[in-house]
Amino acid sequence: MKAKALILDLDGVITDTAKYHYLAWKALADSLGFHFNETDNERLKGVSRMQSFEIILEINGASSHFSEEEKQAFCERKNELYKSFISTMTPADILPGIPELLSRAKAEGVPVAVASVSKNAPAVLSALGLSDSFDYIADARKITKSKPDPEIFLVCADALGVPYADCVGIEDAAAGIEAIHAAGMKSVGIHVAETGLSPDIPLSSTEELANLEL
Ligand code: BG6
Ligand code: MG
């Protein structure tokens, strides 16, 4: 491996929780009579919970319809549904190619970090049996700017003590690829072709990570 560190997104890279975030937002949007589909959902990937709800409101011309307290309550409702989805997760939900990538990195002494803005990341990693599989897991509660800001990738690289240009970031979201590039890192994009962004290494599936030269 040429990379001196790997920094992985969680939702949609390590496991397919991106679909649960979508289903939970879709249920909330439906209950409010709002339009929301999978194309709209692309804009929510990598974005914090409240910012995601703000995007749904904006799509529906409803940005000023609710108070901060009401918005918090709707976000909490979405999160309760999301938590019910992830409560059934097991190590079998780790996406293909990820165990092989983690084993290769370990064998070659390349540190690996998780860069997820999800406050549910510790619970998801625990359900997957991966809580102790990383050298650093960013604390979403301490990240002040969502992707596409590079903050979370820079925090991970700093924690690992690796220069930004020697890090490879792996993402499934347009905002994530932008964040990796803004951090001065090399990007691997899973399924991001339709977003119009050009990751340094575009992949159609995480399976390709098993043997990929990084
Ligand atoms: C990101 C997801 O990883 O975490 C977003 O891509 C999600 O879809 C964000 O909104 C925040 O997650 P949570 O679990 O804190 O609501
Ligand atoms: Mg993601």
Side-chain angles (χ1 to χ4, degrees), residues 85-133:
F85 289 140
I86 62 173
S87 68
T88 60
M89 290 179 74
T90 71
D93 291 300
I94 300 171
L95 282 170
I98 296 296
E100 294 86 346
L101 179 68
L102 296 181
S103 302
R104 273 203 295 144
K106 191 163 193 163
E108 296 185 35
V110 174
V112 186
V114 177
S116 173
V117 298
S118 171
K119 296 191 172 72
N120 290 294
V124 171
L125 289 170
S126 168
L128 296 173
L130 291 177
S131 299
D132 300 322
S133 302

Side-chain angles (χ1 to χ4, degrees), residues 9-12 18 21-22 25 41 44-50 52 75 78-79 82 115-121 140 147 172-173:
D9 174 46
L10 172 66
D11 296 320
H21 280 294
Y22 171 66
W25 282 125
N41 187 58
L44 273 51
K45 290 185 178 173
V47 172
S48 75
R49 197 179 305 164
M50 181 54 86
S52 296
C75 284
K78 179 265 174 181
N79 195 48
Y82 178 72
S116 173
V117 298
S118 171
K119 296 191 172 72
N120 290 294
K147 301 164 188 175
D172 71 315

